[in-house]
Structure formats: structure tokens, C-alpha cells
Amino acid sequence: MPTKIEKDAVSGTMTTGHEWDGVKELNTPLPSWWVYTFYATIAWAAVIMLLYPSVPALSGYWKGLIGYSAREEVMQDMATARQARAATFQRIETASLADIRRNPELFTVALAGGKAAFGENCAACHGAGGQGAKGGFPSLADDTWLWGGSLSDIQQTIQYGIRNTHAESRQSAMPKFGIDGVLTNAQISDVAEFVLSLSRRSTDAASATRGAAVFAENCVSCHQENGTGNRELGAPNLTTGIWLYGGDKASIMETVRASRSGNMPAWVELDPMTIKMLAVYVHALGGGE
Ligand code: HEC
Ligand code: HEC
């Protein structure tokens, strides 16, 4: 039952005018600082809605008085970034490999580009991190090189490949000593024993000594007297303990008997800039010279 609004004698607060069974309801308003903050946020929202894109309409939306668009800003940022990238690519195209390697900015971009191209074109044979694979696919991440580990050696290898039909391809062939009847089985066994001794794994000193003579006569022209190989011919260093085709005696004998000829395609269809980035990337895998 409504009664009149009055001041409550106990609390000193105004009543609302409601009363039930003699109990009167007090009117305790929110603190004024709270109320004004509340109105201020509403006013702020109204201003923002006016200034910025806000209310959707059937066709389009309220674009705001200052015409701001986050989307346009992103597009502009992207255009600027693309321009900067294009400029960097252009510099990579004209810079020498050594300059790219020295310039941190070009190096970073080349490394990223090289890594992407490597995953696409090379990882199938050389492994995702260039760690190589069994059966003649060399690791590109160690410092043992068949054909050379300088930036320009690597670039040449990538561009023209190895033992393919391209005129500029790297070429060489180890004779098939067994198949062509140049060496007997016993001589092949001896020379394999000598090759084992080059990485201190020979178990038959007499055989290895006989093998040394076979090696001196048939192998040094490519692998050198001490077995350290020849990069002009892609003849591997036989003293490192790192093997393309296996370093156990049976594998070595098979290599001497029938020879191997690993081949890698020429990458002439890749553009010169990608080849450059690949060379920089491979060089940086760990063994670059
Ligand atoms: C079809 C398999 C195959 C593909 C694909 C391939 N390679 Fe090779 N690559 C080889 C083989 C096999 C050799 C070793 C050839 C030899 O015995 O001399 C080699 C050798 C190399 C060498 C020389 C290593 C050294 O020790 O001198 C480099 C550098 C190289 N590859 C880089 C690349 C890059 C970069 C790509 C991608 C653009 C690539 N390869 C794609 C098979 C491949
Ligand atoms: C005309 C040059 C030439 C001559 C001569 C030659 N080699 Fe080779 N040898 C090579 C080349 C090139 C390779 C690498 C083949 C490849 O990469 O597929 C090789 C590879 C090998 C390998 C494999 C190494 C590995 O990492 O798996 C062995 C072992 C080897 N030669 C031993 C010999 C022995 C022993 C003789 C002498 C009986 C000999 N070679 C004579 C050129 C030669």
C-alpha cells in the first residue's frame, strides 16, 4: 500500500513510499560517481559509433565520420611489405653469393627462400635437413664434399647436376674393375682390405699390403695416393669414414667390381635467384667452405 515519501528516522535515508505491514522500503541510490561513469561510457560509445564504422545496414554499413578502415590499413601494410620484399629479391638477384652471405638482411631472406625450395625439390633425395640418405645420396650438412663446398661449387652442382645429360653437368666415371676384367676377385678383395685400412679398419695386414699395390696402380689417378680423393672428379675421400655406398668390405668390393655412378638432375628450370638461395641455404647447413 503506497504511503507518502518521507525521511526514515533511523537511517536518515528517504523511503520509496512502499510499505508492507509497517515495514518501509528505503531508497538507497547508487553512488553518484558510479552513475556518472555509467553515463559517460554510454556517451563514449555514441561518439565512437559516430566516428568509426559501426551500425550495419541492409546495403553496407555506417562508415564513420573519419572514414577509418582497419582492412585498408592491413592492405596498405601488406603492400608495403611486398614492396620491401621485392626490393630485397631484386638485390639478391644482382648481388654475388659472397655478398648475400655477408649481408644479414639478404642472408635471412635467402635462407628462408632456399629452405622452401629445398623442401620442394631436394629433400626427396637429400633428406629434409640435407642429412643425406643411404644408397649414394650425400649429406649436405657435413664438411665432407665430393665436388666442393664453396658457395660457387655448390651453385654449380645445383644448377647443372651430376652425371646427367646436360652439357655442363659434372661428369666422371670410376671403371668397373670386376665386370671389365681389369682386376681379379682376389685383387678386389685385397684392395678393399687396403681401403678399410685407410680408416683403420683392416683386419688382414698381408692382404691390405697386397691391396696397397693394387691401389697404387689402379686407383690413385682419381683417389690420390693417400686416398683423400679428388674434387675435380668427384672422387670421394676414402679416409673419412663417411660412405656414400657403405663402408663394409662387401659394399666396397661391390663398388670396385661394378662401380657406382650417382646422378643428380640439373636444375636449369629453376630460376637463377632460386639457385642462388639454394646455394646459400646448403652452404649454411653446416659444412660450407
Ligand atoms: C634424384 C635425387 C636427387 C635430387 C632430387 C637432388 N639431388 Fe643433389 N645429389 C644427388 C646425388 C645422387 C648426389 C651425389 C652424386 C655423386 O655421387 O657425385 C648429389 C649431390 C649433390 C651435391 C654435391 C655434394 C658434394 O658432396 O659435393 C649438392 C650440393 C646437391 N646434391 C644439392 C642438391 C640440391 C640443392 C637439390 C635440390 C635443388 C638436389 N641436390 C636434388 C641426388 C639428388
Ligand atoms: C676414374 C676415376 C676413378 C678411379 C680410377 C677409381 N675410382 Fe673409386 N670412385 C670414383 C668416383 C667418381 C667415385 C664416386 C662415385 C659416385 O659418387 O657415385 C668413386 C667411388 C669409390 C668408392 C665409394 C666410396 C663411398 O663413399 O661409398 C670406393 C670405395 C672407391 N671408389 C674405391 C676405388 C678403388 C679401390 C679404386 C681402384 C681399384 C678406384 N676407386 C678407382 C672414381 C674413381
Side-chain angles (χ1 to χ4, degrees), residues 146 163 172-175 177 183 191 195 214-215 218-219 221-223 233-236 238 242-246 252 255-256 260-262:
L146 294 162
R163 298 188 191 95
S172 71
M174 173 164 153
F177 289 96
L183 296 177
V191 83
V195 170
V214 179
F215 193 85
N218 298 281
C219 320
S221 57
C222 295
H223 291 284
L233 303 166
L238 303 175
I242 295 171
W243 301 92
L244 281 165
Y245 301 102
I252 294 173
T255 298
V256 177
R260 319 264 189 181
S261 53

Side-chain angles (χ1 to χ4, degrees), residues 76 85 232 242 284 286:
Q76 236 157 39
R85 248 179 114 74
E232 298 285 309
I242 295 171

Side-chain angles (χ1 to χ4, degrees), residues 84-101 103-122 140 145 150-152 154-156 158-159 267 270-286:
R85 248 179 114 74
T88 310
F89 279 144
Q90 213 158 38
R91 280 167 67 202
I92 288 180
E93 218 161 348
T94 50
S96 74
L97 288 168
D99 284 343
I100 298 171
R101 183 67 190 80
N103 181 310
E105 189 195 339
L106 300 187
F107 182 55
T108 309
V109 174
L111 217 52
K115 184 174 182 173
F118 193 88
E120 227 164 273
N121 301 295
C122 326
L140 306 176
W145 296 95
S150 72
L151 282 163
S152 60
I154 294 172
Q155 182 187 32
Q156 158 97 17
I158 298 172
Q159 190 149 18
W267 293 94
L270 289 181
D271 63 283
M273 188 179 68
T274 304
I275 301 266
K276 268 180 162 176
M277 297 196 295
L278 277 167
V280 169
Y281 172 73
V282 168
H283 185 265
L285 281 176

